[in-house]
């Protein structure tokens, strides 16, 4: 049946041609879809926004990962929810807030005809045509590839359909193989090479951005202390000659512990700059006070700018794309409505939780996205810009944070942006996540100069699906990034990272005991750091007035950090520089004492140095607890490495002192009287690895990163021992690492495939939702009735689910398919002019990928393709005709494997006779697992 032509239907041709365009044509803006849905059942083409479809304009809870907390509205009778029936407690809802468009505004709804001839599609990136646009040349029946329904888009805060994307890519490959000509072979080769081209570009761009961040951060950090008189744009490292470990010719007493520096007349401190003001009696004190004041003011300024950028540029309320649902979409707040962005929803619901995409390290969110969750804007250009600029500012302010973790987020943003210029990845969320995994490897490669460690980190910690092809491309991407950064030389030393060190001596068997103690320290510290940071974030940061004033929190933390920075040189030192000096090996006769850390005469020098390092350990550890989680870009790697390196250096100096005092002891027989036998820097490196393992719970990738930092495998055993001990102890004290706790704190719907659950006496019947609304084909389903059902589904907080489609079969109901909420909204917006028209569903509708229906709404609008003879009121094309099903007597572990290994969005439960019993969607399953875990604990 053709679509009826009306002034409110811009999808129809405006010429005399009566040829229908089909059910998948027309523009695809949210406003257009929303206007179409609002007009269903209304005689006027101009429908007020406050119609029955949306009685109020407040944000609505989208309880992804939680069970619905509100009863179904509308004309449905009240049913007991699964939470009430099984005694599950309600978790805080994740809410989709109102916001503004990130794209140029759409034309006025008052004249929808103007959408056709306007530059709307020319000024915006086309909405992803998740299924292949209509082929210009039709496929032969035997060449068409059988697929399973059409997906139109993925809204924010929903999960992707891994199975559909895999099937769709198989169909794409089949279409390529169909062409046997020389041109077809060239196209196949180009298709194979696209992935390598993409990862090459990602690695190259990631290295350039990392170079700019490092150089900017160095200059901004040093400007707090002074400036270069020869060139104000130079950091101190490039203004002054860099000290090396060459042997000096002057005879300097061995007991000297102060820093022996070459003169640097080109560098001028702020105390020297303001020396005329500080002259006179007490001038030295005044000069120190001036330096402290300038340092504090600049640090506060840098941190404040970083926080303001993060809060006002990357708040989740400001990200709305055309891929969001028109029913669930925000209310297009403009002008006077802007103050409503933070208003709590009506009805006593949980206040809206606003996420700031550029804050933190980004690794927990990247893990969630790679597991199949969609967060529009999190990997976009605005977030990339804010993260890069804010990271340089926040690190330069002197806060106890690092830039290595955020590099993973930055690289993922680059990967997402680059991949979207290639339709192979733009239209396939599953394949795009393979590119994002490779980008994560590049991020670690530029952060630590460890391309192999980057690949293993992506595999061990971040990625959810990591086949062999992704591993090869990740390795290549990391290599390109590391090689490009090496050519750029950000530190002017030929090193990829500042704290890359080498050791000349081997370790000895007796040192395994101190290394074991360092592993114990790393595990205890990692567990308690995770616990304390979680409690601080939950009860102080989110439970007090600080939640309403995040910029004030940043100012207070920066002020406290600046106050404690002047306790000694090690607390004032930048995190990367501190780690480098703690890792460094002291060489006899060298002019570089690494800021006084080289202890040549332990009886006289050890105690003052140990005292200073211990103060730095306490200050850095305490500040990191309150700093990690504030609204600025912040990583956890460098502060954790610094704490572990301080502990290791202290233990190394104590061992060195013991060997110096008792050189002939049997414990030090392996040294054979060599007083330089013990390397405190090696203990610092082992302690740093152990502490980072205790905090993040990484093992293999962390060990390999340390091997690449030291350019040798000589110390493989000490690092491996300490890392394994640290992880074992940390898991015993706190089962979750810092990233898992952040995921829990942010209420991100991450399904951990590595976690083992104890199911006990629970059965599938305890989880299956039998009260979910369904579509029955034996009843009359009109456009208006389906629209009302869709609205009720959204109101109940189940926008990520859909409707089972059932037909009567004897004494029960048999399922013929499943249609998602987005697909139903998309289809209804096309046929909105006929509210009383009956919609049909057929389980026998042939679906061939690449056929006349295999396109999304926008792809046809962009190509101008017409579909002849397609029935727009037959929604079978959008229906999943082969959903995953399990019998109600199946073990729960089978359901877990379907969600984790196959990436299912929902699982249909049937009885032994195949009759429909209920649905388990990913949201309900996550809520059940969360409740199960809390009960077991």
């Amino acid at each position: 049946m053709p679509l009826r032509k009306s002034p409110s239907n811009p999808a129809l041709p405006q010429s005399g041609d009566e040829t229908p365009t089909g059910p998948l044509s027309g523009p695809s803006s949210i406003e257009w879809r929303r206007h179409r849905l609002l007009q269903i059942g209304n005689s006027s083409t101009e429908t007020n926004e406050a119609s029955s479809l949306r009685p109020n304009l407040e944000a609505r809870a989208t309880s992804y990962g939680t069970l619905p907390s509100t009863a179904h509205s509308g004309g449905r009778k009240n049913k007991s929810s699964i939470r009430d029936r099984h005694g599950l407690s309600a978790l805080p809802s994740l809410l989709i807030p109102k916001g503004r468009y990130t794209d140029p505004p759409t034309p006025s709804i008052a004249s929808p005809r103007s959408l056709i001839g306007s530059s709307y599609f020319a000024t915006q990136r086309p909405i992803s045509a998740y299924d292949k646009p209509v082929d210009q040349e039709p496929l032969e029946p035997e060449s068409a590839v059988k697929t399973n329904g059409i997906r139109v888009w993925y809204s924010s805060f929903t999960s992707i359909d891994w199975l559909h994307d895999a099937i769709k890519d198989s169909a794409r490959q089949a279409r390529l193989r169909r062409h046997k000509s020389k041109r077809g072979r060239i196209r196949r080769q180009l298709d194979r090479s696209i992935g390598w081209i993409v990862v090459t570009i990602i690695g190259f761009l990631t290295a350039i951005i990392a170079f700019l961040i490092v150089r900017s951060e160095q200059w901004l950090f040093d400007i707090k202390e002074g400036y270069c008189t020869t060139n104000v744009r130079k950091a101190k490292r490039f203004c002054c000659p860099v000290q090396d470990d060459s042997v000096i010719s002057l005879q300097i007493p061995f007991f000297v512990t102060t820093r022996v520096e070459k003169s640097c007349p080109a560098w001028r401190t702020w105390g020297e700059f303001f020396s005329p003001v500080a002259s006179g009696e007490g001038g030295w004190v005044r000069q120190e006070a001036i330096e402290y004041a300038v340092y504090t003011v600049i640090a506060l300024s840098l941190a404040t700018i970083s926080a303001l950028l993060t809060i006002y540029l990357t708040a989740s309320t400001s990200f709305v794309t055309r891929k969001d649902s028109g029913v669930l979409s925000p209310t297009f707040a403009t002008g006077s409505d802007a103050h409503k962005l933070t208003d709590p929803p009506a009805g006593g619901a949980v206040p809206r939780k606003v996420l700031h995409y550029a804050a933190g390290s980004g690794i927990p969110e990247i893990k969630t996205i790679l597991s199949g969750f969609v967060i529009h804007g999190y990997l976009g250009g605005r977030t990339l810009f804010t993260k890069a600029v804010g990271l340089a500012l926040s690190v330069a302010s002197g806060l106890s944070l690092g830039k290595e973790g955020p590099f993973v987020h930055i690289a993922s943003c680059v990967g997402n942006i680059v991949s979207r210029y290639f339709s192979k990845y733009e239209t396939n969320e599953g394949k795009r996540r393979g590119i994002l995994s490779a980008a994560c490897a590049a991020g670690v490669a530029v952060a630590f100069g460890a391309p192999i460690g980057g690949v293993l980190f992506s595999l061990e910690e971040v990625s959810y699906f990591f086949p062999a092809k992704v591993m090869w491309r990740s390795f290549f991407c990391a290599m390109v990034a590391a090689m490009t950064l090496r050519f750029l030389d950000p530190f002017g030393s030929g090193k990829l990272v500042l704290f890359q060190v080498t050791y000349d001596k081997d370790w000895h068997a007796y040192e395994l005991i101190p290394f074991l103690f360092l592993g114990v320290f790393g595990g205890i510290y990692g567990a308690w750091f995770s616990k304390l940071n979680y409690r601080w974030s939950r009860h102080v940061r989110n439970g007090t007035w600080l939640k309403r004033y995040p910029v004030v929190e940043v100012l207070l933390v920066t002020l406290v950090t600046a106050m404690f920075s002047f306790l000694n040189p090690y607390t004032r030192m930048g995190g990367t520089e501190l780690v480098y000096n703690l890792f460094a090996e002291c060489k006899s006769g060298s002019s570089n004492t690494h800021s006084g850390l080289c202890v040549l005469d332990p009886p006289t020098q050890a105690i003052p140095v140990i005292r200073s390092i211990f103060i730095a350990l306490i200050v850095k550890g305490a500040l990191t607890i309150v700093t990690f989680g504030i609204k600025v870009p912040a990583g956890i790697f460098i502060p954790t490495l610094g704490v572990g390196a301080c502990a290791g250096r202290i233990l190394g100096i104590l061992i060195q002192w013991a060997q110096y005092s008792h050189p002939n002891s049997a414990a030090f027989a392996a040294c054979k009287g060599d007083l330089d036998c013990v390397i405190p820097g090696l203990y610092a490196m082992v302690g740093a690895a152990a502490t980072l393992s205790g905090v993040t719970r990484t093992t293999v990738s962390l060990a390999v990163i340390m091997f690449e930092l030291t350019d040798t495998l000589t110390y493989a055993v000490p690092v491996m021992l300490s890392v394994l001990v640290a992880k074992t102890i940390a898991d015993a004290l706190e089962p979750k690492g810092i990233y898992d706790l952040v995921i829990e704190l942010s209420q991100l719907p991450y399904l951990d495939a590595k976690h083992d659950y104890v199911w006990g006496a629970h059965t599938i019947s305890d989880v299956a939702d039998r009260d979910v609304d369904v579509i029955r084909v034996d009843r009359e389903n009109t456009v208006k009735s389906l629209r009302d059902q869709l609205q009720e589904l959204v109101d109940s907080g189940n926008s990520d689910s859909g409707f089972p489609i059932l037909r009567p079969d004897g004494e029960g109901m048999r399922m013929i398919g499943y249609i998602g909420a987005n697909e139903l909204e998309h289809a209804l917006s096309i046929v909105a002019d006929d509210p009383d028209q009956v919609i049909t569903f057929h389980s026998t509708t042939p679906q061939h990928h690449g056929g006349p229906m295999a396109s999304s709404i926008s792809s046809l609008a962009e190509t101008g393709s017409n579909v002849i003879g397609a029935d727009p009121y037959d929604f079978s094309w959008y229906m999943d005709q082969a959903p995953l099903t399990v019998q109600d007597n199946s073990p729960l572990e089978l359901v877990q494997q379907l969600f984790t290994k196959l990436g299912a969005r929902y699982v249909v439960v049937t009885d032994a006779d195949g009759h429909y019993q209920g649905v388990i969607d990913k949201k309900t399953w996550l809520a059940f697992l969360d409740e199960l875990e809390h009960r077991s604990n």
Side-chain angles (χ1 to χ4, degrees):
M1 179 181 297
L3 285 172
R4 179 168 59 85
K5 197 172 182 179
S6 73
S8 65
N9 188 0
L12 297 180
Q14 301 300 324
S15 63
D17 186 5
E18 297 295 334
T19 303
T21 57
L24 291 178
S25 59
S28 57
S29 72
I30 296 179
E31 289 189 350
W32 183 83
R33 294 196 308 268
R34 179 176 176 78
H35 176 67
R36 299 281 291 166
L37 294 173
L38 284 170
Q39 84 172 42
I40 295 177
N42 295 294
S43 58
S44 174
T45 59
E46 297 299 326
T47 308
N48 191 294
E49 285 291 323
S51 68
S52 59
L53 181 63
R54 181 183 292 274
N56 61 73
L57 299 181
E58 298 297 339
R60 194 180 290 102
T62 305
S63 52
Y64 195 100
T66 66
L67 294 174
S69 57
T70 58
H72 293 182
S73 59
R76 299 177 58 195
K77 60 182 180 180
N78 294 330
K79 302 178 182 179
S80 61
S81 66
I82 181 177
R83 184 190 71 238
D84 298 331
R85 289 187 286 107
H86 302 297
L88 301 180
S89 61
L91 300 176
S93 298
L94 180 63
L95 297 157
I96 295 183
K98 298 184 285 187
R100 304 181 186 276
Y101 282 101
T102 57
D103 295 319
T106 57
S108 172
I109 300 178
S111 55
R113 181 189 299 262
S114 64
L115 293 175
I116 295 293
S118 69
S119 59
Y120 176 77
F121 289 106
T123 58
Q124 299 192 47
R125 175 188 293 277
I127 187 174
S128 295
Y130 277 87
D131 288 343
K132 178 73 170 59
V134 175
D135 289 347
Q136 299 301 320
E137 48 181 298
L139 291 176
E140 297 80 6
E142 62 273 10
S143 301
V145 180
K146 186 72 168 65
T147 58
N148 188 27
I150 294 171
R151 303 294 178 271
V152 290
W153 65 76
Y154 294 118
S155 298
S156 288
F157 307 105
T158 61
S159 55
I160 69 171
D161 192 337
W162 290 91
L163 293 175
H164 177 80
D165 287 343
I167 295 171
K168 183 169 59 180
D169 187 64
S170 176
R172 185 186 64 83
Q173 296 286 352
R175 287 196 306 271
L176 289 174
R177 289 192 294 267
R178 180 170 59 91
H179 300 282
K180 304 296 183 181
S181 63
K182 183 178 180 180
R183 182 180 178 183
R185 291 195 296 269
I186 294 176
R187 289 181 60 186
R188 288 196 297 272
Q189 292 298 329
L190 288 175
D191 181 76
R192 295 189 186 100
S193 64
I194 286 176
W196 298 101
I197 295 173
V198 170
V199 296
T200 302
I201 297 174
I202 293 171
F204 179 74
L205 293 179
T206 300
I208 292 178
I209 294 174
F211 169 78
L212 295 175
I213 292 175
V214 170
R215 283 293 178 91
S216 302
E217 177 265 325
Q218 287 179 344
W219 182 81
L220 290 171
F221 188 90
D222 291 338
I223 204 67
K224 302 196 305 292
E225 300 179 358
Y227 65 97
C228 185
T229 57
T230 58
N231 189 346
V232 72
R233 294 177 298 177
K234 285 186 177 181
K236 186 176 182 180
R237 181 177 185 84
F238 299 99
C239 183
C240 303
V242 180
Q243 283 188 313
D244 54 21
D245 290 329
S246 58
V247 178
I248 58 177
S249 57
L250 299 177
Q251 295 296 325
I252 296 180
F254 68 89
F255 54 82
V256 173
T257 60
T258 58
R259 190 173 184 178
V260 181
E261 295 183 354
K262 299 178 182 179
S263 60
C264 184
W267 184 259
R268 192 178 187 186
T269 65
W270 294 116
E272 296 172 351
F273 179 79
F274 292 103
S275 57
V277 180
S279 60
E281 185 178 356
W284 180 83
V285 177
R286 294 179 182 176
Q287 183 173 335
E288 286 291 318
I290 290 175
E291 290 183 359
Y292 174 75
V294 175
Y295 180 97
T296 303
V297 170
I298 296 179
L300 289 172
S301 301
L302 295 177
T304 302
I305 296 173
S306 178
L308 292 175
L309 288 174
T310 301
I311 293 171
Y312 289 103
L313 287 185
T314 62
S316 57
T317 53
S318 63
F319 288 90
V320 179
T321 72
R322 284 173 292 132
K323 294 179 185 177
D324 288 323
S325 169
V327 179
L328 186 64
S329 67
T331 58
F332 314 108
T334 56
S336 60
D337 290 336
H339 67 279
K340 296 181 180 180
L341 294 177
T342 56
D343 290 345
V350 179
R352 179 184 306 127
K353 180 178 178 62
V354 179
L355 304 178
H356 296 90
Y357 291 167
S361 69
I363 292 180
E365 291 81 2
I366 297 298
K367 289 181 64 174
T368 306
I369 291 175
L370 291 182
S371 70
F373 195 56
V374 177
I375 309 178
H376 289 314
Y378 194 82
L379 301 179
R382 197 199 324 167
T383 304
L384 172 62
F385 169 79
T386 309
K387 190 86 171 187
V389 176
L391 180 62
L393 295 171
S394 61
V395 175
S397 67
L399 289 169
S400 184
L401 46 84
K403 56 182 177 294
E404 283 67 23
F407 275 160
V408 176
H409 185 190
I410 290 173
S412 298
C413 291
V414 174
N416 179 66
I417 295 171
V418 172
S419 64
R420 297 196 53 162
Y421 285 95
F422 300 86
S423 61
K424 177 180 179 180
Y425 301 106
E426 160 71 0
T427 62
N428 194 308
E429 292 283 352
K431 289 191 69 66
R432 195 191 308 171
R433 274 151 179 75
I435 296 297
L436 295 181
S437 295
C440 292
V444 177
V446 297
F448 293 100
I452 301 176
V455 176
L456 294 177
F457 182 85
S458 179
L459 169 63
E460 180 182 5
E461 183 64 26
V462 182
S463 297
Y464 202 81
F465 179 64
F466 206 81
K469 182 185 294 185
V470 174
M471 178 177 291
W472 279 107
R473 287 178 178 170
S474 300
F475 183 70
F476 184 76
C477 186
M479 181 200 69
V480 171
M483 185 171 57
T484 304
L485 192 63
R486 179 65 178 269
F487 290 149
L488 294 174
D489 194 12
F491 298 101
S493 61
K495 297 179 180 180
L496 295 180
V497 290
L498 184 61
F499 50 88
Q500 188 173 357
V501 295
T502 56
Y503 302 115
D504 295 334
K505 297 181 176 62
D506 202 348
W507 60 279
H508 303 91
Y510 72 87
E511 293 180 304
L512 288 177
I513 297 178
F515 294 151
L516 183 65
F517 286 145
L518 288 176
V520 174
F521 169 81
I524 296 175
Y525 173 82
W528 279 102
F529 171 84
S530 300
K531 287 177 179 289
L532 293 176
N533 178 261
Y534 177 82
R535 293 174 182 176
W536 175 271
S537 299
R538 184 171 185 177
H539 301 298
V540 179
R541 179 173 296 124
N542 293 329
T544 63
W545 59 271
L546 290 176
K547 181 179 181 179
R548 300 189 301 273
Y549 305 101
V551 177
V552 175
E553 181 190 12
V554 173
L555 287 174
L556 291 177
V557 172
T558 307
L559 182 61
V560 173
T561 302
M563 291 173 56
F564 283 102
S565 293
F566 280 75
L567 291 177
N568 62 46
Y570 308 131
T571 56
R572 187 175 179 180
M573 197 177 296
T576 304
E577 184 182 1
L578 175 63
V579 172
Y580 164 70
N581 286 316
L582 291 170
F583 279 12
E585 177 183 4
C586 298
K587 298 181 180 179
S588 300
S590 172
S591 62
N592 191 355
T593 61
H594 298 286
S595 300
L597 289 172
C598 293
V599 178
L600 304 180
D601 184 27
T604 59
Q605 298 174 301
I607 295 299
V609 174
I610 289 176
R611 185 187 301 114
S612 298
I613 297 176
F614 183 76
I615 292 174
L617 185 154
I618 298 299
V619 171
K620 292 287 185 182
L623 289 177
T624 305
I625 291 175
V626 299
T627 302
F628 187 68
I630 61 176
K631 297 304 183 286
V632 296
I636 196 65
F637 285 173
I638 286 299
T640 305
L641 289 174
V643 172
C646 286
R649 190 82 185 195
I650 291 175
L651 182 59
I653 292 175
L654 292 176
I655 299 296
Q656 181 187 22
W657 190 358
Q659 193 263 343
Y660 183 90
S661 302
H662 307 282
N664 298 322
S665 174
F668 304 106
C671 294
K672 299 179 180 178
D674 183 10
L675 297 182
D676 294 329
C677 178
V678 179
I679 308 176
L682 173 60
Y683 288 80
M685 189 263 290
V686 173
T691 308
L692 187 57
S693 176
V695 171
T696 64
R697 311 301 163 86
T698 52
T699 53
V700 178
S701 59
L702 177 58
V704 173
I705 288 173
M706 290 299 171
F707 302 157
E708 294 185 87
L709 284 177
T710 56
D711 290 334
T712 180
L713 292 176
T714 304
Y715 311 104
V717 173
V719 172
M720 293 169 63
L721 174 65
S722 63
V723 164
L724 291 175
V725 172
K727 177 173 170 47
T728 302
I729 293 180
D731 286 340
L733 297 177
E734 171 54 58
K736 292 184 178 182
I738 187 65
Y739 295 140
D740 294 325
L741 290 175
V742 172
I743 288 175
E744 179 181 335
L745 191 66
S746 302
Q747 303 167 15
L748 298 174
Y750 178 71
L751 181 57
D752 192 356
K754 303 174 184 177
H755 189 77
D756 295 326
Y757 294 93
V758 179
W759 307 112
H762 293 286
T763 64
I764 287 183
S765 299
D766 297 329
V767 190
D769 190 354
R770 303 174 185 271
D771 299 330
V772 64
D773 202 1
V774 301
I775 298 175
R776 294 183 54 170
V777 297
D778 60 324
R779 298 176 180 175
E780 186 177 79
N781 298 293
T782 63
V783 173
K784 186 176 185 302
S785 66
L786 290 179
R787 194 279 311 270
D788 294 339
Q789 281 188 269
L790 176 63
Q791 183 62 27
E792 291 176 11
L793 181 76
V794 173
D795 286 335
S796 66
N798 293 306
S799 59
D800 192 24
S801 56
F803 299 93
I805 303 172
L806 310 178
R807 64 174 174 84
D809 181 53
E811 298 181 356
M813 302 296 295
R814 194 171 295 275
M815 188 169 185
I816 66 171
Y818 188 96
I819 185 169
N822 286 339
E823 283 70 40
L824 183 58
E825 174 194 328
H826 171 75
L828 289 174
S829 66
I830 303 297
V831 297
D833 293 301
D834 297 296
D836 297 324
Q837 183 66 39
V838 176
I839 302 300
T840 59
F841 297 91
H842 301 288
S843 60
T844 58
T845 301
Q847 297 177 11
H848 300 288
H849 210 93
M853 297 295 294
S855 173
S856 74
I857 179 173
S858 60
S859 61
L860 284 167
E862 292 153 10
T863 60
S865 302
N866 290 335
V867 180
I868 307 298
D871 184 2
Y873 303 102
D874 183 1
F875 286 5
S876 304
W877 301 101
Y878 306 97
M879 187 173 64
D880 182 358
Q881 297 184 14
L884 289 176
T885 59
V886 294
Q887 290 190 12
D888 52 8
N889 58 354
S890 301
L892 287 175
E893 183 63 29
L894 176 60
V895 181
Q896 171 74 353
Q897 295 302 318
L898 290 177
F899 279 114
T900 57
K901 299 295 175 51
L902 296 183
R905 296 182 72 183
Y906 49 83
V907 175
V908 179
V909 181
T910 63
D911 59 15
D913 296 326
H915 292 148
Y916 169 81
Q917 296 295 312
V919 175
I920 305 175
D921 57 25
K922 202 170 185 179
K923 172 205 64 178
T924 305
W925 184 249
L926 283 166
F928 172 73
L929 293 181
D930 184 81
E931 184 67 22
L932 188 67
E933 184 176 2
H934 278 78
R935 287 182 178 180
S936 63
N937 292 337

